[in-house]
Amino acid sequence: MKLKVGDYAGVGCIVDSCLHCSACDDDLEQYCEHGPTLTYNGMECDGVTPTFGGYSDQIVVKEHFVVKVPETLDLKGAAPLLCAGITTYSPLRHWKVGAGDKVGVIGLGGLGHMGVKFAKALGAHVVMITTSPEKGRDAARLGADEVLVSRDAEAMARHAGSFDFLLNTIPVGHDVNPYLALLKRDATMCLVGALEELTPAVNGVNLIIGRKSIAGSAIGGMEETQEMIDFCAEHGIVSDVEIVSIQEVNEAWERLAKNDVKYRFVIDMSSLKAAA
Amino acid sequence: MKLKVGDYAGVGCIVDSCLHCSACDDDLEQYCEHGPTLTYNGMECDGVTPTFGGYSDQIVVKEHFVVKVPETLDLKGAAPLLCAGITTYSPLRHWKVGAGDKVGVIGLGGLGHMGVKFAKALGAHVVMITTSPEKGRDAARLGADEVLVSRDAEAMARHAGSFDFLLNTIPVGHDVNPYLALLKRDATMCLVGALEELTPAVNGVNLIIGRKSIAGSAIGGMEETQEMIDFCAEHGIVSDVEIVSIQEVNEAWERLAKNDVKYRFVIDMSSLKAAA
């Protein structure tokens, strides 16, 4: 048993998967060949029962899909680790980011702010790459060693060919070509947010010259999610959050759409009782 | 000295590079940080002297940029190895293609026909992926184990998620999304021909779900080019060529533009004398 009565149990984006395909065998349930069951807006393995997410003060989940949240972690700041945390931790680990690497985190939001914290804790030299100089100032507080404003063509040219890894957290389709120019030979830019068409189009020459790669990565498996949250406890990492009540959720949604949150809203589910 | 009088000397796409940057230090002169000097349509390291290619019966080249062509290789069929050969051999080796791998070669032309021969010789199960069923028939002769017609949606669906590596030799911009669906989790599609915009646009979701990669690769370094041509001698591999005289070069060019060659034209430079 992973948990005993009284432990803090964390439930992230996945609540089920087939557990017998090659992805599940490799502890990568997020890539389950039969499709993982997402916690929200998903379907259970029966293919007909919808999942309704975690906006509740109770949830029933198979033990395999629960992580033990260390007691030393601040619970409010730990909640987003189970999505934004693992989404950024997993590719940094998969591409073996560590000391001596120059890592760029592209985009400073819920994902990007975790990417900066993790890349720094893993020992990398971290460059926050953002369109917005104001966001850049906050990046230093989060641990970034440098800020690169992507609209500054001269600054982009100075950093050309210098990055060992780019974690691209931009959540919409965008022009990735200027970022590919930042990569060293044989280096990878990993997308974690852009579930959309990358327009203007990627130019093949930007991959061919320098043997560069564009990759993608989705959340993480249960074993790695536990590893991530233990890493957070060890390094004192949580997400920067703003607590809202369930009554404030519509306003929070509107602010989220305007990118007005540093950097994740967390709903205090005890406010459900007030709503009832 | 690599060569003695009487040896066959091969000159490929590169005739110079800085030889002291990190790429040159890693025997990857094709990615020289100061730009390699291409044999044709290039500039020498002085930045002002153009290079005029190998359409000549004499050429002066630094020894570093010459490979020794084994005597047992048919010289006519060996010539394209120095471009189409190394361009396809290098990524197959870099991504460690070997026995047990299912490899797709996309596009059957000068590059693709070499990709099939090399992937087969490296021990892979080779699938020729082409828009044209007629080309597919020729692919079997070249060593392909299977042919997958990319316009056949049902066949594409049957092969979904099954490839360990895709070598994409299509020489123009194209929609790569259907090919990404063929890759296994964590697998790579490497572009070697498309020095253009990939339109319709790549959709990030096709990389994120399954942690897939699109990469690129350009020719190869001198050490690997020698390795490739020795591999060819060992395995009896040459390019399928059609010999033309210098007098026929305009006609050959027109046929090339119509994709009417199996699979490379080679100019017999002794015909230069007749032209003089």
Side-chain angles (χ1 to χ4, degrees):
Chain A
M1 303 289 280
K2 286 181 184 173
L3 296 157
K4 61 179 192 303
V5 174
D7 283 347
Y8 293 127
V11 178
C13 308
I14 306 178
V15 288
D16 209 357
S17 70
C18 83
L19 295 178
H20 55 68
C21 70
S22 97
C24 289
D25 283 349
D26 288 351
D27 299 313
L28 295 165
E29 299 89 348
Q30 78 273 33
Y31 302 128
C32 173
E33 291 171 12
H34 302 92
T37 295
L38 300 178
T39 310
Y40 38 88
N41 296 330
M43 281 288 175
E44 291 190 13
C45 288
D46 64 11
V48 293
T49 310
T51 59
F52 293 107
Y55 298 153
S56 162
D57 56 5
Q58 295 187 18
I59 187 169
V60 177
V61 184
K62 288 183 184 172
E63 187 180 31
H64 184 83
F65 293 90
V66 172
V67 295
K68 179 171 157 61
V69 179
E71 287 188 9
T72 54
L73 273 184
D74 173 63
L75 279 189
K76 300 185 293 295
L81 297 178
L82 297 162
C83 180
I86 186 61
T87 298
T88 49
Y89 180 84
S90 181
L92 292 168
R93 294 285 289 162
H94 182 71
W95 276 276
K96 298 183 168 50
V97 163
D101 288 331
K102 178 174 171 180
V103 171
V105 177
I106 306 170
L108 182 51
L111 292 170
H113 95 291
M114 290 309 306
V116 168
K117 292 185 183 200
F118 283 132
K120 188 67 189 170
L122 289 165
H125 179 87
V126 182
V127 182
M128 178 74 236
I129 304 172
T130 171
T131 53
S132 147
E134 307 80 59
K135 284 198 176 182
R137 283 188 282 277
D138 206 35
R141 183 183 60 78
L142 298 166
D145 298 288
E146 290 184 70
V147 173
L148 171 55
V149 176
S150 56
R151 286 177 179 153
D152 180 343
E154 279 184 31
M156 288 290 277
R158 276 198 304 279
H159 284 269
S162 70
F163 284 86
D164 295 284
F165 185 72
L166 290 173
L167 182 68
N168 184 330
T169 74
I170 298 174
V172 293
H174 61 282
D175 185 359
V176 300
N177 292 291
Y179 304 117
L180 294 177
L182 298 175
L183 291 171
K184 280 186 183 170
R185 168 172 53 85
D186 286 319
T188 294
M189 175 175 74
C190 180
L191 308 173
V192 292
L195 293 156
E196 297 184 354
E197 288 191 350
L198 302 174
T199 52
V202 176
N203 192 315
V205 74
N206 296 331
L207 298 168
I208 290 173
I209 305 303
R211 200 162 53 185
K212 299 173 180 179
S213 296
I214 307 174
S217 179
I219 46 175
M222 295 316 302
E223 184 177 286
E224 194 173 49
T225 304
Q226 185 68 60
E227 176 191 312
M228 176 277 306
I229 210 156
D230 292 341
F231 180 92
C232 286
E234 186 186 338
H235 292 267
I237 292 173
V238 286
S239 181
D240 289 19
V241 299
E242 186 175 333
I243 303 295
V244 295
S245 68
I246 198 77
Q247 292 79 7
E248 295 168 309
V249 79
N250 288 332
E251 187 197 337
W253 179 255
E254 282 164 23
R255 286 181 51 203
L256 185 66
K258 288 185 286 191
N259 212 1
D260 174 26
V261 56
K262 284 181 180 174
Y263 282 94
R264 276 287 189 251
F265 286 116
V266 169
I267 304 171
D268 178 358
M269 294 317 301
S270 72
S271 60
L272 264 187
K273 294 197 177 67
Chain B
M1 304 286 281
K2 284 182 187 174
L3 297 158
K4 62 180 191 303
V5 174
D7 283 348
Y8 293 128
V11 178
C13 308
I14 307 179
V15 289
D16 209 357
S17 71
C18 82
L19 295 178
H20 55 66
C21 70
S22 98
C24 290
D25 284 349
D26 288 351
D27 299 312
L28 295 166
E29 298 89 348
Q30 77 274 33
Y31 302 127
C32 173
E33 290 171 13
H34 302 91
T37 295
L38 300 178
T39 310
Y40 38 88
N41 297 331
M43 282 289 175
E44 292 190 12
C45 288
D46 64 11
V48 293
T49 310
T51 58
F52 293 108
Y55 299 154
S56 162
D57 55 5
Q58 296 186 18
I59 187 169
V60 178
V61 183
K62 287 182 184 171
E63 187 180 31
H64 183 83
F65 293 90
V66 172
V67 296
K68 181 172 156 60
V69 180
E71 288 187 9
T72 54
L73 272 183
D74 173 61
L75 280 188
K76 299 185 293 296
L81 297 178
L82 296 161
C83 180
I86 186 62
T87 298
T88 49
Y89 180 84
S90 181
L92 291 168
R93 294 284 289 163
H94 183 71
W95 275 276
K96 299 183 169 53
V97 163
D101 288 331
K102 179 174 171 181
V103 171
V105 177
I106 305 170
L108 181 51
L111 293 171
H113 95 291
M114 290 309 307
V116 169
K117 292 185 184 202
F118 284 131
K120 188 67 188 170
L122 289 165
H125 179 88
V126 182
V127 182
M128 178 73 236
I129 304 173
T130 172
T131 53
S132 148
E134 306 81 58
K135 284 198 178 183
R137 282 189 282 277
D138 207 35
R141 183 182 61 78
L142 298 165
D145 298 289
E146 290 185 70
V147 172
L148 171 55
V149 176
S150 57
R151 287 177 178 152
D152 180 344
E154 280 185 29
M156 289 288 278
R158 276 198 304 278
H159 285 269
S162 70
F163 283 87
D164 295 283
F165 184 72
L166 290 173
L167 182 69
N168 184 331
T169 75
I170 299 175
V172 294
H174 61 281
D175 185 358
V176 301
N177 292 292
Y179 303 118
L180 294 176
L182 298 176
L183 291 170
K184 281 185 183 171
R185 167 172 55 85
D186 286 319
T188 294
M189 175 175 72
C190 179
L191 307 173
V192 291
L195 293 155
E196 298 184 354
E197 287 190 351
L198 302 175
T199 51
V202 176
N203 193 315
V205 74
N206 296 330
L207 298 168
I208 290 172
I209 304 303
R211 198 163 53 185
K212 299 174 181 179
S213 295
I214 306 175
S217 179
I219 46 175
M222 295 317 302
E223 184 176 287
E224 194 173 48
T225 304
Q226 185 68 59
E227 176 191 312
M228 177 276 306
I229 209 156
D230 293 341
F231 180 91
C232 286
E234 187 186 338
H235 292 267
I237 292 173
V238 285
S239 181
D240 289 18
V241 300
E242 186 175 333
I243 303 296
V244 295
S245 67
I246 197 79
Q247 291 79 9
E248 295 169 311
V249 79
N250 288 332
E251 188 197 337
W253 179 257
E254 283 165 22
R255 286 181 51 203
L256 185 68
K258 288 185 287 191
N259 213 0
D260 174 24
V261 56
K262 285 181 179 174
Y263 281 95
R264 275 287 190 253
F265 287 117
V266 169
I267 304 172
D268 177 0
M269 294 317 299
S270 70
S271 61
L272 262 187
K273 294 195 176 70

